[in-house]
Amino acid sequence: MKLLITLLISTLTLFIYVKRSYKYATIPDTVEPPIDYESDKYKENEVWFSGIGRC
């Protein structure tokens, strides 16, 4: 009986540990859209994109 309780607690602890590690290891699925070089916004701010805006 003692062994059964020990195995149950160990299994439960391992399950919780694995579940939490998956929570911290996930990668968000957000991807930034590429710069649209044909748009008017880019053409108006071309100086900024060509190097002045980089710090």
Side-chain angles (χ1 to χ4, degrees):
M1 187 68 181
K2 207 175 190 182
L3 181 64
L4 182 64
I5 293 172
T6 305
L7 285 174
L8 182 66
I9 291 173
S10 299
T11 307
L12 186 64
T13 306
L14 182 64
F15 177 76
I16 292 171
Y17 174 75
V18 169
K19 193 157 177 89
R20 283 191 180 186
S21 67
Y22 275 118
K23 179 181 166 186
Y24 292 116
T26 55
I27 299 172
D29 290 334
T30 55
V31 177
E32 301 225 356
I35 297 172
D36 183 15
Y37 293 105
E38 300 299 321
S39 70
D40 290 332
K41 281 186 173 182
Y42 174 75
K43 290 177 182 174
E44 290 170 5
N45 295 321
E46 192 172 355
V47 176
W48 175 265
F49 284 111
S50 63
I52 291 180
R54 298 180 189 156
C55 294

